[in-house]
Amino acid sequence: AQSVAQPEDQVNVAEGNPLTVKCTYSVSGNPYLFWYVQYPNRGLQFLLKYITGDNLVKGSYGFEAEFNKSQTSFHLKKPSALVSDSALYFCAVRDGGYNKLIFGAGTRLAVHP
Amino acid sequence: DSGVTQTPKHLITATGQRVTLRCSPRSGDLSVYWYQQSLDQGLQFLIQYYNGEERAKGNILERFSAQQFPDLHSELNLSSLELGDSALYFCASSVVPAPSSGELFFGEGSRLTVL
């Protein structure tokens, strides 16, 4: 079965510093990987996806993610964090041909002024 | 605004009761997904419908059922409610089949509290 793991419950970073939120995956076949963000009392919002092609994927709000096949990782990154980036971030993998997504446990990002 | 509408936003009920959560997908999306988000279980996939037919089933209890109607809206029925059913229930929709896509659009959720 397809799965993703987010090893960190929480990531703390100072505003202006680079941030990384980690995700590793376990899939059979080619991975379809996603990052979503959830702000308080809101639904999940799509940030970016990796289907095929370049290992560095750019997404919304200045976020990017690096796909690493040898390390089975798909880490989310941003060069300069904003306080407004503070939210819950989910990594996900597509499971099956009808776009069912399996989500990781989530990582809470806290950006401090 | 994702275009996915869920009602009600909040619901408080008692153990043993039955509730129905409603979801209207984005215009043009044929597939609807239900997820449950709780503090201890995280975001769990419950069930998926595509154009009225069930396509995938996840960790959905037998007390729960869902359907997708001809107008593509979906309902999630939760019965014999227990305290542990308290959670945020999300509906999402997408355009399928779309092998190169996979993006889901989420509603803002229905928060169920069972007392």
Side-chain angles (χ1 to χ4, degrees):
Chain A
Q2 322 286 55
S3 67
V4 290
Q6 295 180 244
E8 302 156 317
D9 290 336
Q10 178 151 335
V11 170
N12 296 295
V13 64
E15 187 175 31
N17 283 0
L19 69 88
T20 298
V21 183
K22 296 179 180 178
C23 172
T24 59
Y25 64 88
S26 175
V27 303
S28 54
N30 294 323
Y32 284 38
L33 298 163
F34 303 81
W35 276 101
Y36 281 77
V37 60
Q38 184 181 24
Y39 297 101
N41 301 313
R42 302 296 299 274
L44 278 71
Q45 296 177 33
F46 170 79
L47 277 180
L48 51 79
K49 65 185 176 189
Y50 173 83
I51 304 298
T52 186
D54 290 340
N55 290 341
L56 187 63
V57 179
K58 294 191 183 296
S60 306
Y61 312 122
F63 283 92
E64 56 191 26
E66 186 172 9
F67 172 72
N68 188 315
K69 188 173 182 178
S70 62
Q71 297 186 3
T72 62
S73 67
F74 188 56
H75 300 334
L76 182 69
K77 301 182 179 185
K78 189 174 182 182
S80 179
L82 299 172
V83 172
S84 57
D85 293 331
S86 299
L88 189 56
Y89 290 81
F90 290 94
C91 180
V93 61
R94 196 180 85 170
D95 184 14
Y98 279 84
N99 292 351
K100 181 182 76 173
L101 296 187
I102 304 299
F103 288 86
T107 298
R108 189 163 300 280
L109 173 66
V111 182
H112 305 284
Chain B
D1 183 7
S2 67
V4 178
T5 303
Q6 288 188 249
T7 57
K9 292 190 185 303
H10 301 276
L11 191 55
I12 301 174
T13 189
T15 55
Q17 295 299 304
R18 172 189 170 94
V19 299
T20 297
L21 309 181
R22 182 188 169 101
C23 169
S24 294
R26 286 189 326 156
S27 177
D29 285 357
L30 299 179
S31 196
V32 169
Y33 311 75
W34 286 98
Y35 284 85
Q36 179 194 57
Q37 186 179 31
S38 59
L39 285 176
D40 55 344
Q41 297 284 335
L43 198 61
Q44 297 286 318
F45 169 74
L46 295 178
I47 198 163
Q48 177 198 1
Y49 281 84
Y50 173 69
N51 204 18
E53 295 187 8
E54 181 184 306
R55 284 296 181 182
K57 213 169 198 177
N59 301 321
I60 187 166
L61 301 172
E62 287 191 8
R63 301 182 286 107
F64 295 1
S65 65
Q67 56 183 324
Q68 186 179 28
F69 295 86
D71 67 353
L72 301 178
H73 91 272
S74 178
E75 293 181 356
L76 178 67
N77 300 296
L78 315 175
S79 62
S80 303
L81 286 168
E82 302 175 359
L83 295 178
D85 297 329
S86 296
L88 194 51
Y89 292 85
F90 284 110
C91 171
S93 72
S94 75
V95 178
V96 283
S100 63
S101 178
E103 179 180 347
L104 300 188
F105 296 86
F106 281 80
E108 299 210 340
S110 293
R111 183 171 294 281
L112 172 66
T113 302
V114 182
L115 301 177

